[in-house]
Amino acid sequence: MSISLARGITVRGLLLALLVTFMVGLVVPRAQSAPAPADEAPLLSDFGSCLAGGSTGSIVLLIDQSGSLETTDPEGARMRGAKFLVERLAEFSATSGYALDVRVAGFAANYETPGDWTSLEEGNVAALEGQIDTVGGDLRSHDTDYWTALESARQDLADHSSECSAVFWFSDGEYDIDPRESRQSRSDYGETKPYAPEIPLTDDAGAAEAVAAGKEAICRPAGVADQLRSSGITVIGVGLMSQGADFSFLRSVTEGGGAEAAERNGTEQCGDVASPEGGYFEVDDLDTLLMAFDALSAPGDSLSSSSVEICQGEECGAGEVSFVLDRALSSVRVLASSNVEGLEAYVVPPGESEAMRFPSSAGTEPVVQGGAEAAWLTPRTVELQLDAESVETWDGTWRVGFLDPASTSAGEQVSVNLHLSSPLVLEWQDLEGTEIRQGTEVPDASLALVDRTDGQVVDAADLGGTLTADVTLTDAGGGSHSLFSTQDKAALSGPVSLPVPAEAALGEAKVVTSLQITTAPPTVDGETAAEGTALQPALASSTTSVLPPQNFPTVGPRIDFGLLEEETTAQATLDVTGPGCVWLAPDSVSVVGAPAEAGAVSVTSPAAGEGDCVRVAEGEQATLPLELGTEEHANGAVRGSVEVMIAPEDDPSAAQAVTVPFDADLRRPLDVATAGTAFAIALVLGIGIPLLALLVLTWLTARIPKGTLVSGSTRISLPPGGGRTEIALERNQLTMTSLPTSQRSVAVAGRMLRARFSPLPTEAPWVELDDSSPSISGAVPGSRGGRARLPLGVRGNWVAIPDRHDPSTATLLVLLGSEDQASLDAVLEDARKRVADRVRSLGLSAPPAGGTGTGAPAGSNEPQGPSSGWGSSAGSTGPSTGWGPSTGSHGASYGWGPSAGSTGSTGSPETGPTGNPPGWGSSGPRQQPPQSPWGRS
């Protein structure tokens, strides 16, 4: 299976190079491995370290819905890839203990979410996969609007209030706006964009101008890209390659944050904020898509990427990846893909010479050998899993290789993702209760190795290999300070002393612990055979504050101005604890993210100088009042910081600045110019919503109740002048039907009963005999439009269906709730008394010789037209066919309510004037009316 794309010979090689290059810091797996450099951070390291710090993660799966996917992804590879990602993330959540929430969203002209946030637990995977199908299958004809997609995802994550956030965003094309050339498209999609309100989208020039405005709104300083990053949101882009597609802008959004990152990644700069750094992949088929999503499936885990040769006919060293395991690791997962089918994967455990073989011909079902499990996800991609609890020998050197039994792929390669999963992280225990003060020492910090799956402390001395443990403090000014570093396992056996530098900036800070493990070297006959495998550092980050010395006041870590909708100003307070004096430094606002439409952003306070400061005695608490203001309403996040001055009670000249971050979420209110329209809509809805709710409730209740339904039928002869009818029907002629649930339709005695309802709130639902012949029941009103009507509780009633060719005979249908004789006798007695008169009320007459009638008595002055079948056509001005009267109709009539233009009627005392009733009625032979969700089930 592949996406329909134009491919050159070099595309695959380029793709493989991209996958290696863009997975920043991925270590090439080898038997002899040195520790990875400390400054090499793995993909999603910020997101993974945030999770390791104990926070809940939130991920938006942002899926392109543009109509071009019908050509670029006709087989829905992006949906299958997204499902694969969800399944692997669920496994990662289960094995790591990290809590993850996922939101599936689609985008084209708008942002669509088929479901709510869903916890990534095993029982919820199917629901998320259903949402992926819903979004992926709902392609839209207009736009690939990047601004709307990213800003809406940001708002979604902001409303979800998660500390660890990521957007996995994939598209098959460029930022694109389609011109609104028709009235319908202008109505459906709007004539302007929020980021380009003055640009009409009525032609190609306007659409191109809006795209340029959208790109500017995303990538300008403090634009959407900066708002995302300054909110701590990691953005990963996946470009689904197609003929002539240009993903340079998507790549710049994800990898171009700040000049340094843009230069390093070879892309255009998009925004000034560099962290958290995103990632970008280009994929050209399902196999490469699976490889890309696999790289995202274990945030923070050790992931290595490499390419190896395909062995020809037999095992070979050039076609293998080898790694050394010990009990510091709990599991290994390998995903490997090539552009060659018919390969065979093999696994050689430590100390073994015989390989376990997994040919692609085994298919997609998992195969287990010696505790190793393999499944070919496609004919070219295989997944291998090893678990420490499942295999006989874990410690030592493992080899995984790939060979071509047919020896027809010399020179081809296999791309390999190797996940080495250790459950251990370095944890600063009781960090929340620890004071970190500028220029002082934390005397008894407790650093421990912790198994993240169960929270148990692990003795470092039990590790067979080596470790490097580090603790780093990143202060409010961005300065990085090493507080602790050791390769001595014994150093983690008790409390340690951590010095806080005097130059550490005051305010909110981040503590990042790093644990890099190198597995124990394997031995053969007591001799060291190779070096162990160095895992990537396992990072865990936590938020803290750098406090001033003891004689200074302290302030809270952040300022939250909340949501601004109706106003352009918002108030907040900052907690202050004494002793000392606190004020807002004037002109100290630094904005890193804000929508351009908001204009200048200000933060002010009445305590704007030493003379107006908030004074707090020792041990007392107070608040510093603050106000945020913008020039205009806008949509977007406002992120920045202010400097708050703090001074000791007896020495104002020793004042220091504390950098305090602030944030707010702006949502543009309804345009005042539309207030009148909005009021009218609200008025209509105020009346309409209750009626709609009643309509929906009526439809929901329009069902034949569950339980036993007994039915039977017999032929009867109707007396010419009316009166009592002789009816013979025995119990042994009855049939019993069980309705386990209420039903909208039921087949009884060869006839179909259907529940109906009317849009008129005063009319109760009913059951109708769905038959082309005229019919009538013993209930009230008995018949409408020539069709028998019954209450929803049909039991205890009868229906008569006159014969098409001889109205003096009829079929009697009996409906009961049980087979007892008393119930049968009661219904038959009622039918004996009334059925003849009821049938006469239908106004049927026998056709004349030749099989055609005029539809009116002889001598009638009514206008005539051709008529066939039984029934009158009083007042008709066009052809009328069928059973029963058609008063004032112009041919067959279908629809809700009586036919317009009725000028005459026939009926009985019970039915009143007849005509077309609510529901799908017909004045002629029943044709196929328009289908309605309300009228038929």
Side-chain angles (χ1 to χ4, degrees), residues 323-327 329 332 386 394-398 420 519-520 533:
F323 45 91
V324 179
L325 303 181
D326 67 10
R327 293 293 165 170
L329 289 92
V332 173
L386 305 173
W394 183 256
D395 294 5
T397 302
W398 288 75
L420 301 175
T519 59
T533 297

Side-chain angles (χ1 to χ4, degrees), residues 418-440:
L418 174 64
H419 297 262
L420 301 175
S421 179
S422 172
L424 301 180
V425 293
L426 179 66
E427 183 177 294
W428 183 341
Q429 298 186 309
D430 197 30
L431 175 61
E432 291 184 1
T434 302
E435 287 189 349
I436 300 177
R437 290 195 177 272
Q438 185 186 62
T440 63

